[in-house]
Amino acid sequence: TAAAAATAAASVSDSNSFLIGLPSACASRCPQPGPDSSCEDAQASCNCCRDTLQSLEGDICKRFQSSGDCVPQIRSAIQAKEQACKEKTKEQQEKHRKKMEEIESWRQAGEALQGQFASLESEASRWAPKRFNSKCNGGAKKTCGADLCEF
């Protein structure tokens, strides 16, 4: 809990001096006792940090409509979010799969049509010159133009 987290790690360097490492959430809000600080100063820093962490915990718990220990609600919210992400991912994968199937069907249709057009082109070259021969051999009074004769 916040109170346990606020309990600072104290390391004794000699019999009269110690260092307290406050959590980063307390660093800007609570005085940092120095190595020559009294026990009362160190206790005041620890109390300040405990109060700060409890306040932060309360702020977090308010977001989950809870007072006191809100860890179960947070865990529940995390699980709900993970489930929602899994469902969204599954939905996106299905949408992607369908889009890829559509693209593949259009590609196959394009290939089939390309084969049809290839056969039409060979037929066109077989029949078109005979159909327009009179226009292109100079025998007609009025020609249709060079591009007609190219076929």
Side-chain angles (χ1 to χ4, degrees):
T1 67
T7 305
S11 62
V12 177
S13 58
D14 64 36
S15 60
N16 293 329
S17 73
F18 55 89
L19 256 164
I20 296 177
L22 296 177
S24 60
C26 299
S28 65
R29 296 179 173 106
C30 301
Q32 178 72 38
D36 297 329
S37 297
S38 67
C39 285
E40 291 81 21
D41 291 342
Q43 186 65 41
S45 289
C46 287
N47 289 338
C48 171
C49 189
R50 181 193 64 230
D51 295 343
T52 298
L53 292 175
Q54 285 176 340
S55 174
L56 291 172
E57 181 183 40
D59 292 344
I60 291 170
C61 287
K62 284 178 191 173
R63 288 189 275 170
F64 294 94
Q65 286 101 20
S66 177
S67 60
D69 186 17
C70 59
V71 172
Q73 286 86 352
I74 293 172
R75 287 191 176 131
S76 176
I78 290 170
Q79 288 175 347
K81 187 72 156 183
E82 287 175 349
Q83 183 62 32
C85 286
K86 285 178 186 177
E87 290 171 10
K88 180 74 172 178
T89 300
K90 188 175 180 179
E91 179 184 306
Q92 288 175 335
Q93 287 173 339
E94 181 62 20
K95 189 175 180 180
H96 176 73
R97 184 189 63 76
K98 286 181 179 179
K99 184 58 98 176
M100 295 309 289
E101 285 176 357
E102 181 183 2
I103 290 170
E104 180 60 20
S105 75
W106 282 107
R107 187 191 64 75
Q108 290 173 356
E111 286 178 359
L113 288 174
Q114 190 176 22
Q116 290 292 328
F117 285 125
S119 67
L120 287 175
E121 284 178 16
S122 66
E123 286 293 313
S125 65
R126 189 171 130 205
W127 296 106
K130 292 178 185 174
R131 185 171 50 194
F132 297 112
N133 257 352
S134 65
K135 301 286 185 193
C136 297
N137 65 9
K141 294 180 185 174
K142 187 174 181 184
T143 64
C144 295
D147 45 340
L148 177 65
C149 296
E150 290 174 5
F151 293 105

